[in-house]
Amino acid sequence: MVGALSAVLVAVLALAGCSVDRSGADDSKPTIRLAYQAFPSGDLIVKNNRWLEEALPGFNIKWTKFDSGADVNTAFVAKEVDFAAIGSSPVARGLSAPLNIPYQVAFILDVAGDNEALVARNGTGVNSVADLRGKRVATAFASTAHYSLLAALNQAGLTVKDVNLIDLQPQASLAAWQRGDVDAVYTWLPTLDELRKDGKTLIASRELATAGKPTLDLGVVSTAFAEKNPEAVDAWRTAQARALELIKSDPDAAAEAIAAQLGTTPQDAANQLKQGTYLTVAELTSPTWLGTESAPGNVSQNLYSAARFLADQQQIPSAPALEVFQKALYTKGLPDVLKQ
């Protein structure tokens, strides 16, 4: 545990020195710091369309790109971000020891489907998850993809000791794939589509969800920020809900906004959107998912189950009590705040 904390502190020191760009900010206004990731979601629509700048003119809005949930957790430990897009497995890890990050889940960006998957490179002779024994498999450690890879291996009767597991961020895994340095990769869009061009999908997160290991992309907020700025949290949630509605009501406009952020074509972005599951506002505030202020939803159980699995896989020392995850749902004002 001491080693883990030391590693986090080293990463925090590196992060604190280089990650936050405040150029162009109005020093007379407080700054809201948002961590985003380059996967198709309503979060990119909010960023591209500058809806937060429109809704919160009294704040500077600062977006910073992160490669994975592990990096986002490090930024929260360093107190460098207020909001973030992050996977459910990193959140389960973040709410557990030794990190014990004081943040709360305030939104569900998407439910992982075919937008995260395990792909084997053509010519490796790998045609099933069981064939990965002794092979080189890359994923971003402490991400939802890492969690899903562990679940896929477990389902196939393998453990991490049966494969040569390599920690690589999406773009680095693509480069390793192209060099022939890895045999398989578990990752997410848009890198995933590049791998599929000369690889075979072994299993997708949609299948693992059906088997009891669902993963989500979540919107989280620092507890301290939420307590101090509840109106800003309401504006952020309303903007995210607006983006979910746009994905449903005008998929072409949603794809165009996401394409602008990902540097791809609207057609590619539209195809990527079709691979994930995006909830309606009614679904979001149902008992199955985030729930309401009077009846918090089942996401807490999902996170608890993820933490228990991570503990079983020796990825964290132990899983905290279910109550920890129940308290980590930010449902204040739901569902009414999203109907404004």
Side-chain angles (χ1 to χ4, degrees), residues 199-264:
K200 175 180 181 178
T201 299
L202 303 180
I203 194 168
S205 294
R206 186 185 304 278
E207 298 166 71
L208 291 167
T210 302
K213 292 291 187 294
T215 51
L216 318 170
D217 287 318
L218 304 173
V220 300
V221 60
S222 157
T223 300
F225 181 90
E227 290 174 349
K228 185 177 180 181
N229 303 281
E231 75 292 339
V233 180
D234 288 350
W236 176 84
R237 291 187 296 180
T238 301
Q240 294 292 348
R242 183 181 175 188
L244 282 184
E245 290 171 352
L246 188 70
I247 291 172
K248 300 286 186 181
S249 65
D250 194 345
D252 290 341
E256 187 173 343
I258 288 171
Q261 291 297 310
L262 294 179
T264 187

Side-chain angles (χ1 to χ4, degrees), residues 2-199:
V2 173
L5 284 169
S6 298
V8 168
L9 289 172
V10 168
V12 165
L13 291 172
L15 176 73
C18 65
S19 71
V20 179
D21 173 14
R22 294 189 174 88
S23 60
D26 182 347
D27 291 338
S28 68
K29 298 192 294 187
T31 297
I32 297 177
R33 305 159 302 171
L34 301 107
Y36 76 99
Q37 296 191 57
F39 57 75
S41 73
D43 197 44
L44 294 187
I45 297 174
V46 172
K47 179 179 183 294
N48 188 75
N49 293 349
R50 297 180 62 82
W51 286 345
L52 288 179
E53 288 84 348
E54 172 189 305
L56 295 167
F59 290 86
N60 294 311
I61 304 299
K62 176 60 189 176
W63 295 87
T64 302
K65 182 181 176 182
F66 288 81
D67 291 328
S68 72
D71 294 337
V72 172
N73 274 341
T74 298
F76 271 109
V77 171
K79 299 183 179 180
E80 289 287 352
V81 293
D82 304 304
F83 291 91
I86 181 173
S88 53
S89 176
V91 171
R93 187 185 294 262
L95 292 170
S96 304
L99 297 180
N100 298 314
I101 297 172
Y103 56 27
Q104 293 176 282
V105 176
F107 211 81
I108 300 172
L109 301 174
D110 67 81
V111 181
D114 299 320
N115 52 346
E116 283 193 359
L118 175 61
V119 183
R121 190 165 48 82
N122 292 339
T124 59
V126 176
N127 295 299
S128 69
V129 178
D131 292 338
L132 290 175
R133 187 182 297 273
K135 299 293 186 179
R136 297 161 296 178
V137 185
T139 195
F141 282 13
S143 67
T144 52
H146 185 198
Y147 172 85
S148 295
L149 174 59
L150 296 176
L153 292 173
N154 184 66
Q155 187 182 81
L158 301 178
T159 71
V160 291
K161 295 180 180 178
D162 294 317
V163 300
N164 182 4
L165 196 57
I166 304 167
D167 180 13
L168 292 176
Q169 298 294 341
Q171 282 301 307
S173 68
L174 175 59
W177 173 283
Q178 293 169 337
R179 293 192 303 267
D181 292 344
V182 295
D183 303 302
V185 176
Y186 207 126
T187 193
W188 54 87
L189 294 172
T191 300
L192 179 59
D193 272 350
E194 292 298 314
L195 302 179
R196 284 172 170 152
K197 292 177 180 178
D198 57 349

